[in-house]
Amino acid sequence: MESVQAIKQRFGIIGNDPKLNRAIEKAIQVAPTDISILVTGESGVGKESIPKIIHQLSHRKHGKYIAVNCGAIPEGTIDSELFGHEKGAFTGATQTRSGYFEVADGGTIFLDEVGELPLTTQVRLLRVLENGEFIKVGSSKVQKTDVRIVAATNVNMFEAIKKERFREDLYYRLSTIEINLPALRERKEDIHLLFRKFASDFALKYKMPTIKLTDEAVQLLLRYRWNGNIRQLRNVAEQISVLEHNRTISANTLQTYLPTGAGQNLPAIIKESKSESDFSNEREILYKVLFDMKSDLNDLKKLTMELMKSGNASEVQKDNESLIQKIYGNDDVSDFEETVDDLSVLAIPEHKEELIDETVTNSDDKYHFAEEIEEEETLSLQDKELELIKKSLERHNGKRKLAAAELGISERTLYRKIKQYDL
Ligand SMILES: Nc1ncnc2c1ncn2[C@@H]1O[C@H](COP(=O)(O)OP(=O)(O)OP(=O)(O)O)[C@@H](O)[C@H]1O
Ligand SMILES: [Mg+2]
């Protein structure tokens, strides 16, 4: 059996944290079996390497490995993507098509963001897991497949079950064994190690000397909350590597790259002030409202375009029923960003995309209508931004540095905005 160390090297995994080692060890242990695995952990912790390790160390390694991002596929097409469809199963199904479960027979399927699967798809998935059976969309013939499933999620599955967004039976079937990856803030020892690795990678990539942190900057790096985990750390290392002329990075410089939004470790000066933290909450709420408005507008825009181009409003209505439900029935702000992403895809059923394009290019009126909405949306976003910046500057008696830190943007960006809005 390959050692944890060897696997880390082979898959480019950096770190020596015991929890990370345990996760890799578990992956090695379960690889030769066909047990379904659920990989859990916050966004950006490195979940994607686990199914790769499992596949490569299994007897399926010569079979196919297919990674499916369940959150990125529109609800209307996901069954057909996963299980295939018969010719004529729906408008636009001109050919019989094999789904991933047929193609990956003898291999592994990685279901990323599995918590996003629609409930109807969950039923089909449960059946495959239970007896390897599935039915193509529009068919009545039961087919067999031999696929190993590794799933991943960064959402709390118990919450999802409680809210009846995820089937409990499927959850237990998927998570026979759970492999949890620790958040970066729980792996303090690895933070600087990872940063140095990324700094040296980016120095090579951009042909510049490697950046180096001062001792205080290292301390700040360790104190920070890293809500975006390794992905965020990597981005910060990249930005600094590209933008800073002085290759020795002080804590002050590093600070300008670390957003201080809600939940992050704010520098002491901001943390101590009650009124400022109130403002930070206010800002967070405003952001949520803004995102909310933007997403609703996008969806309404798309719906309207569809209604305009389709003579058959009732058909469109049916197609968008779940979408509308999602927009107006969703009162949970915590998973809001995900909703924004997948709504933008959901709004246009795949077989309608070309129709929408036609509308946009053929009818000037309709095109202008869409532009107007876009413009209004941009204007109201600008108003809110302007308001936030003004408030923050007032609060800090015009001190840009403090205002920028509070707004979670760099001083440079704030300076640009001040000029832009002529403040
Ligand atoms: N231990 C590690 N060593 C080096 N790079 C890592 C490590 N873990 C993760 N990364 C890098 O961090 C980034 C994020 O990892 P990954 O895409 O696997 O996150 P994730 O857990 O799937 O997040 P999400 O839930 O948002 O999809 C990737 O670029 C990955 O290469
Ligand atoms: Mg991922």
Side-chain angles (χ1 to χ4, degrees):
M1 200 185 268
E2 261 180 281
S3 71
V4 170
Q5 222 45 46
I7 291 297
K8 281 199 270 194
Q9 209 149 27
R10 191 166 142 196
F11 290 86
I13 300 170
I14 312 289
N16 294 309
D17 179 84
K19 288 199 218 73
L20 172 72
N21 288 345
R22 180 68 196 120
I24 296 170
E25 198 183 312
K26 256 184 164 176
I28 299 172
Q29 285 174 314
V30 298
T33 72
D34 274 339
I35 300 174
S36 312
I37 309 294
L38 183 67
V39 188
T40 57
E42 289 179 16
S43 182
V45 289
K47 294 188 288 297
E48 272 155 54
S49 48
I50 298 292
K52 288 183 193 147
I53 296 174
I54 292 175
H55 177 72
Q56 282 303 323
L57 300 188
S58 75
H59 63 88
R60 297 170 178 272
K61 69 176 174 198
H62 299 298
K64 282 224 157 45
Y65 172 82
I66 299 182
V68 186
N69 187 340
C70 304
I73 303 176
E75 199 162 326
T77 53
I78 191 149
D79 282 353
S80 139
E81 294 271 333
L82 292 175
F83 305 104
H85 62 245
E86 285 297 340
K87 184 175 172 178
F90 47 82
T91 332
T94 50
Q95 297 285 321
T96 297
R97 180 184 179 283
S98 302
Y100 299 138
F101 275 91
E102 187 171 340
V103 176
D105 196 1
T108 309
I109 289 189
F110 170 40
L111 295 175
D112 202 358
E113 296 188 38
V114 73
E116 299 289 316
L117 279 181
L119 283 162
T120 49
T121 312
Q122 292 178 30
V123 179
R124 287 175 181 264
L125 181 60
L126 188 62
R127 182 161 182 191
V128 180
L129 277 159
E130 263 162 5
N131 49 25
E133 286 177 0
F134 70 95
I135 300 175
K136 279 196 172 90
V137 176
S139 168
S140 52
K141 200 175 101 218
V142 177
Q143 287 179 254
K144 277 276 196 186
T145 187
D146 167 29
V147 172
R148 204 268 177 81
I149 294 176
V150 182
T153 179
N154 59 27
V155 300
N156 183 335
M157 294 299 270
F158 290 111
E159 279 288 299
I161 292 169
K162 218 168 72 194
K163 289 182 181 159
E164 296 187 352
R165 285 189 203 148
F166 206 84
R167 290 180 66 105
E168 193 170 6
D169 47 4
L170 178 60
Y171 169 75
Y172 288 113
R173 197 69 190 66
L174 274 176
S175 61
T176 315
I177 289 184
E178 181 176 327
I179 297 183
N180 177 259
L181 285 171
L184 188 57
R185 79 189 77 84
E186 295 165 28
R187 304 168 49 183
K188 294 258 186 249
E189 303 279 305
D190 288 344
I191 297 180
H192 193 202
L193 185 69
L194 278 157
F195 187 88
R196 287 200 304 266
K197 165 74 170 67
F198 294 141
S200 114
D201 287 352
F202 290 123
L204 262 179
K205 182 171 172 190
Y206 298 113
K207 301 191 175 59
M208 287 162 101
T210 311
I211 49 166
K212 194 177 175 314
L213 300 177
T214 64
D215 290 346
E216 284 100 77
V218 174
Q219 290 314 310
L220 174 59
L221 198 75
L222 302 187
R223 274 204 314 275
Y224 190 65
R225 232 186 109 76
W226 299 111
N227 281 345
N229 293 294
I230 301 176
R231 184 180 292 121
Q232 186 189 5
L233 181 74
R234 194 169 177 272
N235 287 349
V236 167
E238 180 161 26
Q239 288 173 36
I240 301 180
S241 298
V242 173
L243 296 175
E244 292 299 323
H245 290 298
N246 182 350
R247 307 305 277 177
T248 302
I249 309 301
S250 69
N252 274 344
T253 306
L254 175 61
Q255 179 66 65
T256 61
Y257 291 89
L258 305 179
T260 51
Q264 295 286 6
N265 267 352
L266 304 176
I269 186 166
I270 286 178
K271 218 174 176 176
E272 273 159 23
S273 154
K274 188 174 177 306
S275 62
E276 269 154 0
S277 82
D278 285 345
F279 180 54
S280 163
N281 285 340
E282 188 186 335
R283 173 161 55 94
E284 216 206 345
I285 291 163
L286 266 171
Y287 278 158
K288 275 173 185 151
V289 172
L290 282 180
F291 281 127
D292 218 340
M293 274 170 43
K294 191 174 159 75
S295 130
D296 282 2
L297 269 171
N298 273 339
D299 294 315
L300 282 172
K301 193 161 73 187
K302 278 168 190 151
L303 268 175
T304 314
M305 301 252 293
E306 277 197 63
L307 283 167
M308 286 191 302
K309 63 109 225 286
S310 160
N312 185 352
S314 72
E315 192 195 313
V316 176
Q317 192 183 348
K318 210 170 80 214
D319 274 343
N320 286 292
E321 233 160 39
S322 63
L323 166 68
I324 293 168
Q325 170 119 37
K326 234 174 159 162
I327 307 173
Y328 298 105
N330 186 355
D331 53 5
D332 183 3
V333 272
S334 68
D335 55 10
F336 190 70
E337 271 178 68
E338 283 143 38
T339 320
V340 174
D341 280 353
D342 79 44
L343 283 178
S344 57
V345 194
L346 267 174
I348 313 174
E350 196 176 58
H351 56 284
K352 297 215 164 130
E353 261 167 65
E354 70 255 39
L355 288 172
I356 289 175
D357 278 344
E358 250 169 51
T359 317
V360 170
T361 43
N362 289 348
S363 161
D364 280 341
D365 284 345
K366 284 163 193 167
Y367 188 45
H368 284 144
F369 178 69
E371 261 185 348
E372 267 166 37
I373 298 183
E374 190 100 63
E375 205 172 296
E376 271 172 33
E377 182 183 314
T378 318
L379 282 176
S380 82
L381 276 171
Q382 276 179 359
D383 282 353
K384 292 282 186 293
E385 186 179 59
L386 181 60
E387 199 181 307
L388 282 169
I389 293 174
K390 266 192 191 156
K391 253 190 167 165
S392 182
L393 282 168
E394 264 168 38
R395 206 173 285 270
H396 293 290
N397 301 323
K399 291 208 179 66
R400 286 207 291 266
K401 192 175 178 128
L402 294 177
E406 189 166 62
L407 290 164
I409 56 178
S410 70
E411 260 188 278
R412 250 192 306 273
T413 309
L414 180 59
Y415 184 70
R416 252 198 307 111
K417 302 260 176 215
I418 290 173
K419 283 202 127 171
Q420 181 190 339
Y421 295 126
D422 207 13
L423 284 170

